[in-house]
Amino acid sequence: MSVENDDEKAARNAALRPGTRRPGGRTARTRAAVRDAVLAGLTEHGYPGLTIEYVAEHSGVHKTTLYRRWGDLEGLLADALDLAGEDSWLPPDTGSLEGDLRALAREVAASFTDPAVAASGSAMIAAGFQSERAATALRAYYTERFRRCETIVERAVGRGELPSPSDATEATAPQAAIDAGALVRAVSAPLFLRLFITREPVDTALADQSAAAALAAARAGAFTTGPTAPSPGPAA
């Protein structure tokens, strides 16, 4: 049976993660091979069973090099997540806010239910519950992901699907704006709850429901920030 070299392994994993950018050069290939070995170890053994020896064996990088460059397992985990965020992924652009939110929710659901890619992502999130450094890196990764998703809301405001900061109405002050980060997080929050807390099934129908709920909330002003007019009191 043939054995994949570092370049072949990197290409295979890139194909499983559309949009991933693998920078060139020997250092980048080494880093990618180490990251792939970390993900494989997490998927196979979980964080408690991951060892420097496993990463060395599966990456082809000597363990003394791993210790010198990454320090320890937590360093390997943090760098693996940093590398995962160094890609060219962009959020969906369907031409409408409704379409973008639905496509985003479906992408989140698929990334954790498709057998080809789900295991490594789930293992990384699980590691964040057991390692503070991994948790910090995980938070940075998703902060960047959600920052990119804010363009969905910005496009919607530009198309007039959501109010812009200058749209003053009787119910909204001129300084009010849409909290884009909160809106895009609301799309995936119900999915993450089921995937990692209640361990319930997640499918396309649930993804569509999550997107629809976030859209309805946005249209109702749930994500509007800034001064707003007081709610009317009870009728006399």
Side-chain angles (χ1 to χ4, degrees), residues 25-73:
R26 179 179 178 182
T27 299
R29 288 196 300 272
T30 298
R31 189 181 175 206
V34 169
R35 171 187 178 270
D36 293 340
V38 170
L39 292 178
L42 285 174
T43 302
E44 187 175 350
H45 300 293
Y47 179 71
L50 182 65
T51 64
I52 291 287
E53 287 74 19
Y54 179 98
V55 176
E57 178 183 354
H58 289 77
S59 67
V61 179
H62 198 278
K63 66 179 182 179
T64 56
T65 301
L66 296 177
Y67 280 117
R68 183 176 68 250
R69 181 170 177 182
W70 284 276
D72 54 21
L73 280 174

Side-chain angles (χ1 to χ4, degrees), residues 126-192:
F129 284 91
Q130 302 172 71
S131 160
E132 184 57 37
R133 191 168 176 185
T136 299
L138 189 69
R139 185 161 52 250
Y141 171 82
Y142 275 107
T143 295
E144 169 62 16
R145 273 293 191 269
F146 286 126
R147 185 196 64 76
R148 297 184 198 182
C149 289
E150 290 180 11
T151 188
I152 289 175
V153 181
E154 294 166 1
R155 291 194 301 252
V157 170
R159 290 190 295 259
E161 295 178 272
L162 293 172
S164 69
S166 61
D167 290 336
T169 69
E170 292 181 358
T172 308
Q175 297 87 352
I178 301 294
D179 186 339
L183 199 169
V184 295
R185 282 170 170 79
V187 175
S188 56
L191 304 177
F192 281 123

Side-chain angles (χ1 to χ4, degrees), residues 79-136:
D79 191 59
L81 276 166
D82 286 342
L83 184 56
E86 294 176 5
D87 59 31
S88 57
W89 180 88
L90 292 174
D93 186 0
T94 66
S96 73
L97 177 61
E98 181 178 8
D100 287 351
L101 296 181
R102 184 187 301 117
L104 179 63
R106 289 185 177 188
E107 187 171 338
V108 170
S111 66
F112 290 102
T113 56
D114 182 348
V117 295
S120 61
S122 297
M124 271 293 190
I125 290 178
F129 284 91
Q130 302 172 71
S131 160
E132 184 57 37
R133 191 168 176 185
T136 299

